[in-house]
Amino acid sequence: MIDFIQNWGALILSLISIIGCVVTYVIHDRKLKCQEKRLNALQIMQIEKQEAREKMADIKCLAFSIKSGCSAIRFCNTGTSDAKNVRVMILTPEEKLRGIIFHKKQWGPYELINSQGSCEEIIHLCMGHPEFLKIKVVWDDDYKDNQSSILNVQI
């Protein structure tokens, strides 16, 4: 028995250490592959979100005073895509709009607002006008039709 251990002991220990290294490598490799799959899925998701953002228009609204009693409402496209068929609806109740004189009965529809472009509407303000104007804007872009945004614009 002692002869066997002396002759084969070092070889057996070497074999055990080699097998241990192979098992450790396989386990570590599986963990790395699992992490790599998760990272790839995350990168694909981020790329898809970025591509979707590039196809989206984003309509914002800004009110500013032109002169005393006269203001402009500017609809800006801050997205990277053109906004087509832009429709504007005023959601503020009619009785609260008594202090505002509109040049047009209905705003829009605007055929196209280019990326980083804008359209303006002029309003006249009288005593007792509301502080905020609630507006719903609906538009089509390369990402999706009938995108909408409800904006509360301070006038």
Side-chain angles (χ1 to χ4, degrees):
M1 184 69 153
I2 294 179
D3 273 347
F4 177 77
I5 293 175
Q6 285 178 344
N7 292 335
W8 294 95
L11 185 62
I12 291 173
L13 286 176
S14 296
L15 256 166
I16 291 173
S17 67
I18 289 173
I19 291 171
C21 288
V22 168
V23 168
T24 303
Y25 172 77
V26 168
I27 291 172
H28 183 69
D29 188 53
R30 283 185 183 170
K31 286 181 183 178
L32 284 178
K33 289 202 187 288
C34 183
Q35 285 178 345
E36 188 176 338
K37 283 181 184 178
R38 279 191 247 144
L39 284 174
N40 286 343
L42 181 64
Q43 282 180 330
I44 289 170
M45 232 171 39
Q46 287 176 337
I47 290 169
E48 287 172 350
K49 283 182 183 178
Q50 180 65 27
E51 287 174 350
R53 263 189 246 119
E54 288 173 1
K55 293 179 180 179
M56 283 186 191
D58 188 22
I59 303 294
K60 302 288 184 197
C61 190
L62 172 71
F64 57 94
S65 180
I66 296 174
K67 58 184 177 183
S68 181
C70 186
S71 291
I73 307 289
R74 180 177 288 162
F75 299 99
C76 303
N77 180 2
T78 59
T80 55
S81 178
D82 295 342
K84 302 167 196 97
N85 192 22
V86 180
R87 286 113 35 220
V88 179
M89 292 161 263
I90 299 173
L91 300 178
T92 304
E94 192 74 33
E95 56 274 357
K96 288 188 177 181
L97 296 176
R98 289 193 183 131
I100 301 175
I101 301 170
F102 295 95
H103 280 273
K104 296 180 184 174
K105 195 154 187 114
Q106 177 161 354
W107 292 346
Y110 307 109
E111 191 174 317
L112 178 73
I113 300 178
N114 291 324
S115 174
Q116 308 305 317
S118 64
C119 290
E120 284 185 11
E121 294 290 343
I122 306 295
I123 59 173
H124 292 284
L125 305 174
C126 302
M127 289 292 277
H129 70 80
E131 185 179 354
F132 291 95
L133 194 60
K134 193 170 187 177
I135 298 172
K136 180 176 182 178
V137 184
V138 182
W139 69 92
D140 303 332
D141 56 26
D142 295 336
Y143 179 68
K144 182 177 156 186
D145 287 347
N146 294 322
Q147 294 231 56
S148 67
S149 179
I150 296 177
L151 308 165
N152 218 8
V153 183
Q154 184 173 10
I155 47 178

